[in-house]
Amino acid sequence: MNRPLADEIRPRTLDEVVGQTHLLAPGAVLRRIIESGTNANMVFYGPSGTGKTTVANLIAQRTNRTLYRLNATTASLQDIKGIIADVGTLMAPGGVLLYLDEIQYFNKKQQQSLLEFMENGKITLIASTTENPYFYIYSALLSRSTVFEFKQVPPEEVERAVLRGLEIEGHRLGLEINWEKEVPLQIATACGGDVRKAINAVELLCQSAIPENGKLKLTSEDALQVAQRSAMRYDKDGDAHYDILSALQKSIRGSDPDAAVHYLARLLEAGDLLSPCRRLLVIAAEDIGLAYPQAIVITKACVDAAVQLGLPEARLPLAEAAVLLATAPKSNSAHNAIIAAMEDVAHGKTGEIPRQLQNVHADTTGFDNRQNYKYPHNYPNHWVEQQYLPDAIRGARYYEYADNKTEQAARRYWEEIKGKR
């Protein structure tokens, strides 16, 4: 049975690794560490298919330590104890190099079981994760390790691997392979920076092509079918999900409607309807706010329509909301006001509610029936001066008028009225 092409094409030297030049280029820190043979505990963080396992294998080749591999999705505490039991024996006389894939799936106790042996140098740990290690990895383990971030591989780098994969697959099939000019870059672009996905697409494309006169012809249309949707990196509980939502909000806050609809499209293409609905409502209140108070009303109508329509039609009202919010004037004055007020409350800056603001039933206690509340609607311009904040924070300022037309109009209105004594 043939090995998977992605396994057969795996680089055997650092120079064959595509991408990650910030880590592996001549003179880069990680490359110097690997070439020196230093036994350092490391955490490789980044998307799948970017070379984490490959680099770990290359490190293993340069050490005289026994290599153990565990995947945290299936490994148990007993597996760790079994590895530790081999330390110092004939099974691992020079110590253990442990490659632990998907470490984020290990609980705190499982991670802690490695600490003593990492401390005394009997275990050198290389852990990989697709999630932010500072959220998922025990701090004591992180303090003994160096984190290296692997990034999505750019299409021009992935194309090198695709061309190499096409060459190897031709040898394996014993056929000459021809392809339309745009096919390699098309596959490289569609994989979303995941080299493994690109190589799997190459293998599937070649195996599905029909030989003619001892040759295979790969077409752009077939490549598109094989690679479709493969560029999507999305996990509702993973970093990619929150990265896209963050990019959506920051694009709208930055008044870029093109970027806004791009990130909205990525969410909808992944079949996620509720997340963008909730985030657009947040944006309307947090980033547009009082500069255009109708924005949240319109956004709510668009969200309601989207939920009622469902996908794919939901894309239309949500796109309308995203473009509206991106092109609307911006104000975070209400956001800043509530944050400041909640900080005071959280720190105990409250005080007793002024007597005149207390509920009217307080007058029935018999201690004091003179509430002295002034009803603003009984006064000119529906306003009268009286104290509203507790004595403890009297004079506190949480809200500041922002410099947009709507809030400046409100400021002028109230300055005129409150200026009349």
Side-chain angles (χ1 to χ4, degrees):
M1 184 172 121
N2 283 339
R3 293 162 58 196
L5 179 60
D7 187 48
E8 187 167 336
I9 201 176
R10 195 180 293 279
R12 294 177 175 81
T13 67
L14 291 175
D15 291 327
E16 291 180 358
V17 178
V18 296
Q20 314 313 327
T21 54
H22 64 295
L23 299 177
L24 301 175
V29 174
L30 181 56
R31 182 168 186 138
R32 296 203 309 269
I33 291 173
I34 296 171
E35 291 179 340
S36 68
T38 303
N39 290 321
N41 299 306
M42 293 179 271
V43 175
F44 293 166
Y45 160 51
S48 59
T50 53
K52 299 187 298 296
T53 302
T54 294
V55 173
N57 287 336
L58 293 174
I59 293 173
Q61 293 173 11
R62 290 178 172 268
T63 181
N64 60 357
R65 295 192 162 201
T66 304
L67 175 65
Y68 288 80
R69 289 186 176 88
L70 287 180
N71 189 301
T73 59
T74 56
S76 66
L77 190 58
Q78 196 60 40
D79 294 314
I80 298 175
K81 290 179 178 178
I83 292 172
I84 292 172
D86 288 344
V87 174
T89 69
L90 291 176
M91 296 294 293
V96 166
L97 175 64
L98 173 61
Y99 177 60
L100 181 56
D101 198 14
E102 304 290 355
I103 189 176
Q104 72 269 18
Y105 290 104
F106 261 12
N107 59 36
K108 185 175 180 180
K109 184 177 181 180
Q110 289 172 310
Q111 293 185 34
Q112 282 179 318
S113 65
L114 300 169
L115 290 177
E116 176 187 348
F117 298 91
M118 291 171 62
E119 190 74 32
N120 61 28
K122 292 182 178 179
I123 286 182
T124 299
L125 176 69
I126 301 177
S128 70
T129 176
T130 57
E131 305 296 342
N132 191 327
Y134 300 100
F135 293 163
Y136 290 92
I137 299 180
Y138 181 46
S139 58
L141 192 150
L142 272 181
S143 71
R144 292 162 173 80
S145 309
T146 303
V147 177
F148 292 98
E149 183 177 1
F150 284 62
K151 300 179 180 179
Q152 290 187 14
V153 183
E156 58 272 17
E157 288 287 322
V158 179
E159 188 179 15
R160 286 173 45 207
V162 168
L163 291 169
R164 191 156 152 255
L166 288 168
E167 180 183 355
I168 292 174
E169 192 64 12
H171 289 309
R172 296 204 317 176
L173 295 174
L175 296 170
E176 181 183 339
I177 301 179
N178 297 315
W179 53 83
E180 294 178 357
K181 182 180 178 181
E182 62 270 23
V183 166
L185 185 57
Q186 190 173 22
I187 295 174
T189 302
C191 76
D194 186 331
V195 179
R196 188 186 301 109
K197 278 186 179 180
I199 299 305
N200 288 340
V202 168
E203 185 173 24
L204 183 58
L205 182 61
C206 292
Q207 292 178 356
S208 63
I210 300 174
E212 291 184 8
N213 300 321
K215 297 181 181 180
L216 287 182
K217 180 63 181 288
L218 308 182
T219 67
S220 176
E221 183 179 355
D222 287 345
L224 183 63
Q225 289 294 318
V226 168
Q228 64 181 341
R229 294 176 66 105
S230 66
M232 292 298 298
R233 290 187 181 274
Y234 197 78
D235 176 355
K236 281 192 176 183
D237 296 320
D239 285 348
H241 166 73
Y242 297 104
D243 286 346
I244 297 174
L245 286 173
S246 175
L248 172 65
Q249 181 159 5
K250 289 171 181 174
S251 298
I252 291 176
R253 182 183 297 151
S255 303
D256 189 329
D258 300 305
V261 293
H262 168 77
Y263 292 114
L264 175 62
R266 288 171 68 161
L267 290 162
L268 298 179
E269 182 68 13
D272 189 351
L273 176 57
L274 293 183
S275 295
C277 286
R278 295 179 67 233
R279 186 56 65 103
L280 288 170
L281 287 169
V282 169
I283 294 167
E286 179 179 346
D287 295 305
I288 285 75
L290 297 173
Y292 182 32
Q294 284 294 103
I296 194 166
V297 179
I298 298 170
T299 302
K300 179 61 165 61
C302 290
V303 164
D304 288 345
V307 172
Q308 187 171 2
L309 289 170
L311 291 170
E313 289 84 358
R315 68 186 187 277
L316 301 175
L318 292 185
E320 181 180 341
V323 172
L324 172 77
L325 297 177
T327 55
K330 306 295 189 295
S331 171
N332 66 343
S333 58
H335 165 268
N336 291 343
I338 189 61
I339 293 299
M342 291 187 74
E343 284 181 358
D344 271 2
V345 172
H347 288 88
K349 296 180 181 179
T350 52
E352 186 177 354
I353 296 173
R355 171 66 177 163
Q356 67 271 19
L357 299 187
Q358 293 175 7
N359 194 5
V360 71
H361 67 71
D363 295 340
T364 65
T365 62
F367 293 106
D368 184 1
N369 60 5
R370 292 170 298 173
Q371 193 165 11
N372 294 325
Y373 171 60
K374 297 176 183 178
Y375 188 58
H377 296 299
N378 290 339
Y379 293 84
N381 298 311
H382 304 269
W383 181 81
V384 61
E385 186 172 6
Q386 62 184 325
Q387 181 180 338
Y388 290 95
L389 281 170
D391 288 337
I393 53 172
R394 185 173 183 175
R397 291 289 296 271
Y398 300 118
Y399 173 69
E400 298 289 345
Y401 291 100
D403 57 355
N404 58 77
K405 183 172 66 175
T406 303
E407 289 182 83
Q408 285 302 305
R411 180 184 63 80
R412 288 190 295 271
Y413 174 80
W414 285 110
E415 283 181 351
E416 180 181 349
I417 289 175
K418 293 181 180 181
K420 295 177 180 178
R421 297 287 187 263

